[in-house]
Amino acid sequence: MLSSSSAPPLSRRGFLLSAAGILTAAFALALARRDANKSAQRVANSVLSAKRVAPSMWVGGVTNSSAVIKAYLGVGMRGQLVVREVGNVAPALRFDIASAAKGSAIGSAHLTGLQSSVQYEYSLEVEGRRVSLPRGRFKTFPSGVASFQFAFASCARTGSAHQVFTTIRNKEPLFFLHLGDLHYSNIAKDKPALFRAAFDSVFTSATQSQLYREVPLAYVWDDHDFGPNNSDSLAPGRRSARVTYQEYIPHYPLGAGAGDVPIYQAFSVGRVRFLLLDVRSERSPADVTDGPRKTLLGSVQKAWLKQELLATRDGAKLTFIGSPIPWIGAGRANDGWAGYAFERRELAQFIAAHQLKNVCFLCGDAHMLAADDGRESGYAGTAAAPIPVLHGSALDRGASFKGGPYSHGYYLPKQNEGCFGWVEVRDEGARIAVDFSGRTHRDEPKIRLSFDCTI
Ligand SMILES: [Fe+2]
């Protein structure tokens, strides 16, 4: 009662002012709420972003004097990689790391001027502060006569954290060659975001991220990580696949340059040459009649491969061809080399005609371990040096048998079993010996093949 009787009557002006005040307050409250929402959103975004760009860095493209490191940095961020020689108190080397592409959260750094056969460790600094990540490491490749060991494999479920990746890491290979199906996203759209999300799931997986941080990666795709099942040059996502590959993968210089190009590449370790093929992004569709117009590699890549093979006559003493699909097999309705038998014969005849020795295929795609000493792999139609063929799959995927026959048999992974190939190269100067074993994630050898190279 008191309040109503004692309160002065509200004039019209006063009422309007008062109403304006309430409106202002309401507006201010709305603004504050909007700002609060924005701020919360920013926090949420940063959390999301932090989740998406979980700290991770990975190494590849290693040579006897250089390496490539990729890392999650955040869009527009710059940082530094601090690189130390293990066991050496010399001041650390510093390399700038910056976005690999416009609008990309992935940083890329090319480390040069390194010493051959030296173990390095590296850490990441952003805005002068070290990112809380375990140090990465890698060993630069040897030059000249040198022995080494490497692992190869293909095919793992998207974002797999299978124990097999830890087994490979614990064996400390000089590098890990991944022959495709890094993920099974089967992307059929030309959207880089889809490829980025697939790579994110791989490079943030607990076991894979540690492997790629500590063991140099060399990788070329197969069908499921390039496009849909059995994909070819008509895959809708071809351009995005090629561009995001270069954004995320620490690769060797691509034979075709940079940008919207196939990803074939080569590197050397000691006196051994590795030629990695892109068997997807230039291939003719499977239903093209086999003959001179049906190609798996495309004319430019094929010319590159022949040139590289010829060059090995004067340089390398042993050449591994990384082919993400099986070399051995029969039948035209085949996603492997058998479906492109005309081109396979052309290559086999080229190798035979130039008397190229010590060529060995490393193959993926088939989810099995297998080995052939050259008895079943000759497609030249004439006498030629045997071409051993090795299969080391699948990392984390159901079993499948493809191609064959294989002189030294095959092994299909059991349920939940991971598999990989392990290769020991012993270069003794006058002789190079190769020991292959196809292994499970428990490091049990299931398939073996050894051969000597004629120097
Ligand atoms: Fe696969």
Side-chain angles (χ1 to χ4, degrees):
M1 299 294 282
L2 184 64
S3 61
S4 64
S5 61
S6 61
L10 208 57
S11 68
R12 185 170 178 270
R13 188 166 176 270
F15 172 78
L16 287 174
L17 281 174
S18 190
I22 290 166
L23 282 173
T24 305
F27 186 60
L29 188 65
L31 276 180
R33 275 202 185 128
R34 196 191 67 179
D35 285 349
N37 284 341
K38 267 192 167 179
S39 163
Q41 200 173 38
R42 265 198 295 272
V43 172
N45 282 350
S46 71
V47 170
L48 284 176
S49 151
K51 272 192 177 173
R52 185 181 171 278
V53 295
S56 190
M57 51 188 183
W58 52 104
V59 58
V62 172
T63 70
N64 57 8
S65 63
S66 66
V68 179
I69 307 249
K70 302 275 184 175
Y72 287 115
L73 268 187
V75 177
M77 299 288 285
R78 302 181 69 83
Q80 285 209 312
L81 281 164
V82 183
V83 181
R84 281 196 170 80
E85 199 178 315
V86 174
N88 190 332
V89 292
L93 303 167
R94 289 182 165 269
F95 297 90
D96 289 337
I97 181 165
S99 284
K102 196 178 172 201
S104 171
I106 304 301
S108 184
H110 192 203
L111 281 46
T112 54
L114 306 178
Q115 303 296 312
S116 175
S117 274
V118 166
Q119 184 81 50
Y120 289 92
E121 60 180 24
Y122 60 98
S123 55
L124 177 63
E125 284 185 1
V126 174
E127 292 177 351
R129 297 169 70 177
R130 190 180 151 194
V131 173
S132 63
L133 253 180
R135 285 191 173 86
R137 60 172 192 250
F138 64 89
K139 189 174 182 181
T140 44
F141 292 174
S143 307
V145 176
S147 300
F148 61 95
Q149 303 171 333
F150 69 95
F152 76 97
S154 67
C155 306
R157 292 166 210 273
T158 306
S160 167
H162 197 286
Q163 175 70 21
V164 69
F165 297 104
T166 306
T167 306
I168 294 171
R169 182 174 56 80
N170 286 342
K171 289 177 73 67
E172 300 187 351
L174 185 62
F175 63 94
F176 173 48
L177 172 60
H178 199 304
L179 287 170
D181 292 353
L182 186 74
H183 58 78
Y184 276 74
S185 293
N186 296 308
I187 299 163
K189 289 182 178 168
D190 196 18
K191 289 189 185 291
L194 298 177
F195 287 90
R196 285 174 173 161
F199 283 133
D200 289 343
S201 71
V202 170
F203 290 114
T204 57
S205 141
T207 56
Q208 290 194 69
S209 63
Q210 194 174 355
L211 172 65
Y212 305 140
R213 190 168 64 239
E214 298 180 4
V215 174
L217 173 67
Y219 154 66
V220 279
W221 57 45
D222 195 24
D223 52 346
H224 298 285
D225 44 351
F226 167 68
N229 188 33
N230 294 349
S231 49
D232 53 45
S233 57
L234 301 181
R238 181 168 94 149
R239 190 187 168 282
S240 293
R242 289 172 160 186
V243 171
T244 52
Y245 174 92
Q246 290 160 69
E247 180 185 351
Y248 273 78
I249 304 303
H251 56 84
Y252 293 94
L254 303 182
D260 184 7
V261 296
I263 59 164
Y264 56 88
Q265 55 197 279
F267 63 96
S268 296
V269 185
R271 301 195 296 170
V272 182
R273 188 77 169 150
F274 290 82
L275 309 177
L276 309 185
L277 304 181
D278 177 347
V279 297
R280 292 293 164 187
S281 80
E282 292 290 299
R283 80 153 64 190
S284 308
D287 57 5
V288 171
T289 306
D290 197 14
R293 295 180 64 185
K294 187 178 190 182
T295 182
L296 193 68
L297 302 176
S299 58
V300 178
Q301 179 175 193
K302 191 159 57 184
W304 170 87
L305 177 58
K306 288 177 177 177
Q307 191 187 2
E308 282 282 344
L309 284 168
L310 280 182
T312 62
R313 281 198 307 196
D314 307 319
K317 302 300 179 192
L318 165 65
T319 303
F320 286 105
I321 299 179
S323 164
I325 51 168
W327 173 255
I328 299 175
R332 278 180 297 171
N334 192 309
D335 184 60
W337 279 97
Y340 298 75
F342 186 92
E343 192 162 274
R344 179 174 61 179
R345 186 165 58 250
E346 179 189 340
L347 283 175
Q349 288 177 341
F350 181 87
I351 291 169
H354 291 89
Q355 299 181 316
L356 303 176
K357 296 172 192 161
N358 309 331
V359 175
C360 174
F361 272 92
L362 304 170
C363 299
D365 186 47
H367 300 174
M368 64 184 190
L369 304 168
D372 185 81
D373 61 4
R375 257 177 275 179
E376 307 292 347
S377 66
Y379 293 101
T382 54
I387 300 177
V389 175
L390 312 175
H391 277 262
S393 290
L395 287 159
D396 178 19
R397 196 75 192 178
S400 68
F401 177 78
K402 291 181 183 174
Y406 300 98
S407 67
H408 284 56
Y410 67 91
Y411 173 82
L412 298 177
K414 307 247 181 317
Q415 198 174 10
N416 300 323
E417 198 168 57
C419 287
F420 64 100
W422 182 253
V423 181
E424 301 183 7
V425 177
R426 281 179 287 115
D427 189 344
E428 295 164 359
R431 150 184 194 268
I432 298 180
V434 176
D435 291 320
F436 161 77
S437 53
R439 294 172 174 266
T440 70
H441 71 275
R442 287 178 287 275
D443 204 21
E444 303 158 331
K446 296 291 184 183
I447 297 288
R448 284 185 183 277
L449 172 65
S450 297
F451 59 92
D452 274 358
C453 301
T454 323
I455 301 291

